[in-house]
Amino acid sequence: MTKSTRSRRQSRQFASGMSNVSTARADSFSDASSSSEGDGPVTPDMVFIDGLIERLMRAPLKSRVKRSRRAQQFAPEVDVYIKKDDVLRLCCLASDAFLKQSSLVRVPKDMLPATIFGDIHGQFRDLRIAMHTIGEPGEMTYVFLGDYVDRGPQSIEAVCLLLALKIRHPHRVFLLRGNHEDYNTTLIYGFYDECQRKYQDDTEQLVFQNFIHVFNCMPFSALIGEKILCMHGGLSPDLEKLDDINTTIKRPTMVPLHGLATDLVWSDPGACNVGWSQSTRGISFSYDDSVIEQFCLRHKLDFIVRGHQITPEMQGSGYHFTQNGRMVTLFTAYNYLNSGNTGATLQIFPGMKAQFRVFRPIRSKDMPPQAAANNNVYENGGVSNFVNNGRNFFGAFLGQT
C-alpha cells in the first residue's frame, strides 16, 4: 500500500469515527511522523487504544430529557461509558508516553499543518465536532493548550479520547498542561466529583488518582517551527531561556505555589502597570505588552499562543490579540457554560501561515434539515471559517479563506 493511498484511507476512517479495529491493519493507523509508529505488529495495547478511540468517536448522543421552558437547554451528552480497568490501563500508557518527551516539546516545520486548540473543559461532544471538522492526526498535528477537564459535562470522556490519541500518535498529538490539570483545582471545579459519580465503587479513588498522575506527567509548553511558542497560561519572570522549561521543570510534578511551572499554567497578559505585576487571580503574575515584545525579540519568536481565559472581547470570535499582536489568547469550548460564546482553533500551515477556524453555537431550528438530522456531528453546533485581517505584527502571518 502506498503512502498516499494509506493517507486517504486514514482520512476516511477518522471522518466516519474510525474503522472497525478488528479488521484494520497496522498501516491503516500508521503515523508518518515516526518510524516507531509505522507498519509494525499490532500490539495488544494498540488494539486496546484503537478500540477505545473507535468507541469514543462513534458513540451516539444520549436521548434528550424533556425540560420545562425555563430550564436551561444544554447540548446533549455522548452516550458512552469507559470501564474503570480501561481508564487505569489508559492512564498507565499515557503517563509513559508523556515522560518520553520533554517539558518543552518541539513541532518542526515538516510536521505542519498543525491545529492549536484552546480550553476544552469537558465538552466532549464539541471536541468531537472540532476533530471531525479539522481532520485526523495522521494528516494534521494537534497541539492542545490544556484545561481538558472541569466545569463541562464529560471531562472523563474528553480527556480519555485525547490521551488515547496521544498514545496512538505520540509525535502528532501534543497535550500541554493547563491550570485545571492539577489536584487542587480539580477538587473544586468538578472533575473529582465526576470521577466519584461515574465510578461509585471506586472506594480507593484509583480513577481520580491515576488521572492526577497523568496530569503530573504532562509537558508545559510547545514550540512550533522554532517560531511560535505555546503554553496554557503565559510567560514567567523565571523564563530566561526556552530550555529552562526542560532543565527547571522535572516531571512528574504537581503545580507548585510559585515558580516557572506555575506561571506557565497560571499567568495572564494585560497588566495595567509596566512590566510584571501580581495577578488578580491570587497566584502567579500578569504582564504588559512590553514584556511580550521583549521576550519575542530576545528569542526570535513570531508570536505566542495561549489559552486560560475567555474575555468579553472573545465572546464573538473565540480569540483575542494583545495590543501589539504578539500574543493571542485562544478558547475552543464554544457555548461554554451555556453562555453562547464562540470558540476557535488556530491552524498553522507550511510557510508559517496562520488561519483561525471558528465554531459558533446555533440552534437546531436554524440549521439545514440534513445537518440537524445528523446530530452525532452537528446537533446544536455550527462551524465556520474566520480570518482576522490582523493588526500590527501578526497580520503578516494570517492567510485568507
Side-chain angles (χ1 to χ4, degrees):
M1 179 180 291
T2 65
K3 183 176 179 181
S4 60
T5 302
R6 183 164 62 244
S7 297
R8 289 194 298 270
R9 181 175 174 182
Q10 287 178 320
S11 298
R12 290 195 299 270
Q13 288 170 344
F14 195 82
S16 63
M18 301 299 289
S19 69
N20 190 315
V21 68
S22 63
T23 60
R25 293 174 52 191
D27 57 4
S28 299
F29 300 97
S30 66
D31 188 334
S33 65
S34 172
S35 59
S36 65
E37 300 172 62
D39 298 341
V42 179
T43 66
D45 283 339
M46 288 303 104
V47 172
F48 162 69
I49 292 299
D50 290 340
L52 182 60
I53 293 172
E54 180 189 8
R55 281 203 298 125
L56 290 169
M57 289 300 296
R58 299 186 65 172
L61 299 185
K62 292 182 179 179
S63 301
R64 286 184 176 274
V65 178
K66 291 185 177 180
R67 303 175 183 268
S68 65
R69 290 186 177 181
R70 294 184 179 181
Q72 287 183 321
Q73 297 294 319
F74 288 96
E77 297 182 16
V78 178
D79 192 4
V80 64
Y81 178 77
I82 308 170
K83 296 186 297 184
K84 173 183 171 181
D85 289 345
D86 288 346
V87 172
L88 301 184
R89 183 178 182 182
L90 176 68
C91 287
C92 181
L93 295 171
S95 59
D96 288 344
F98 285 131
L99 292 177
K100 288 177 181 178
Q101 297 176 335
S102 60
S103 293
L104 171 64
V105 294
R106 282 179 159 83
V107 181
K109 290 182 179 180
D110 61 6
M111 299 297 291
L112 300 178
T115 296
I116 306 173
F117 292 74
D119 299 31
I120 303 298
H121 279 303
Q123 295 187 196
F124 175 50
R125 163 243 183 219
D126 300 327
L127 172 63
R128 296 201 315 177
I129 289 176
M131 293 172 64
H132 273 292
T133 304
I134 292 166
E136 66 155 320
E139 300 295 319
M140 173 77 66
T141 299
Y142 287 173
V143 178
F144 290 85
L145 300 181
D147 278 14
Y148 316 109
V149 302
D150 285 334
R151 294 197 172 106
Q154 292 187 286
S155 292
I156 291 174
E157 293 79 5
V159 74
C160 280
L161 175 60
L162 294 177
L163 293 179
L165 288 171
K166 173 61 184 178
I167 296 163
R168 167 43 83 185
H169 303 282
H171 300 279
R172 281 286 189 181
V173 177
F174 300 95
L175 309 181
L176 307 184
R177 190 171 187 173
N179 66 303
H180 279 262
E181 280 69 60
D182 175 64
Y183 179 86
N184 293 315
T185 308
T186 51
L187 283 177
I188 300 171
Y189 291 102
F191 186 62
Y192 173 81
D193 295 332
E194 183 178 335
C195 291
Q196 292 294 94
R197 183 176 69 255
K198 293 181 177 178
Y199 301 96
Q200 296 182 11
D201 62 339
D202 186 19
T203 56
E204 296 179 346
Q205 301 180 355
L206 291 178
V207 168
F208 178 70
Q209 295 294 345
N210 273 263
F211 275 125
I212 294 301
H213 177 66
V214 172
F215 298 161
N216 288 342
C217 297
M218 285 181 168
F220 283 78
S221 188
L223 185 61
I224 301 176
E226 299 297 320
K227 290 295 185 179
I228 303 172
L229 184 65
C230 305
M231 75 282 284
H232 179 72
L235 299 177
S236 170
D238 294 327
L239 185 56
E240 293 294 329
K241 304 184 301 294
L242 293 184
D243 197 51
D244 289 344
I245 299 172
N246 291 326
T247 58
T248 303
I249 303 174
K250 303 300 181 182
R251 299 168 298 144
T253 180
M254 297 182 68
V255 177
L257 294 177
H258 56 82
L260 177 58
T262 306
D263 300 333
L264 289 173
V265 301
W266 274 105
S267 69
D268 296 298
C272 297
N273 300 322
V274 176
W276 297 94
S277 304
Q278 289 294 320
S279 173
T280 56
R281 294 179 185 268
I283 185 172
S284 190
F285 301 93
S286 60
Y287 44 89
D288 72 343
D289 273 14
S290 67
V291 172
I292 303 170
E293 184 74 23
Q294 292 168 14
F295 185 88
C296 288
L297 291 174
R298 186 166 70 249
H299 298 287
K300 299 180 180 179
L301 298 173
D302 289 343
F303 57 95
I304 300 169
V305 187
R306 44 92 66 175
H308 196 37
Q309 286 181 299
I310 178 166
T311 63
E313 299 91 342
M314 301 169 64
Q315 189 73 15
S317 65
Y319 62 90
H320 179 65
F321 291 93
T322 54
Q323 188 171 0
N324 65 357
R326 286 282 201 172
M327 177 176 282
V328 59
T329 299
L330 196 64
F331 198 87
T332 302
Y334 63 93
N335 199 28
Y336 176 58
L337 299 178
N338 222 33
S339 63
N341 68 286
T342 294
T345 60
L346 179 61
Q347 292 182 283
I348 310 297
F349 296 97
M352 303 304 286
K353 300 292 184 179
Q355 176 178 291
F356 291 100
R357 184 181 291 267
V358 168
F359 298 83
R360 292 189 174 93
I362 61 177
R363 297 172 296 179
S364 295
K365 68 178 184 179
D366 297 330
M367 300 175 67
Q370 297 88 342
N374 188 13
N375 64 358
N376 191 43
V377 180
Y378 292 109
E379 176 74 6
N380 274 356
V383 180
S384 62
N385 287 325
F386 179 85
V387 178
N388 184 43
N389 289 327
R391 59 185 178 204
N392 301 335
F393 182 84
F394 198 84
F397 295 91
L398 294 172
Q400 297 294 323
T401 304

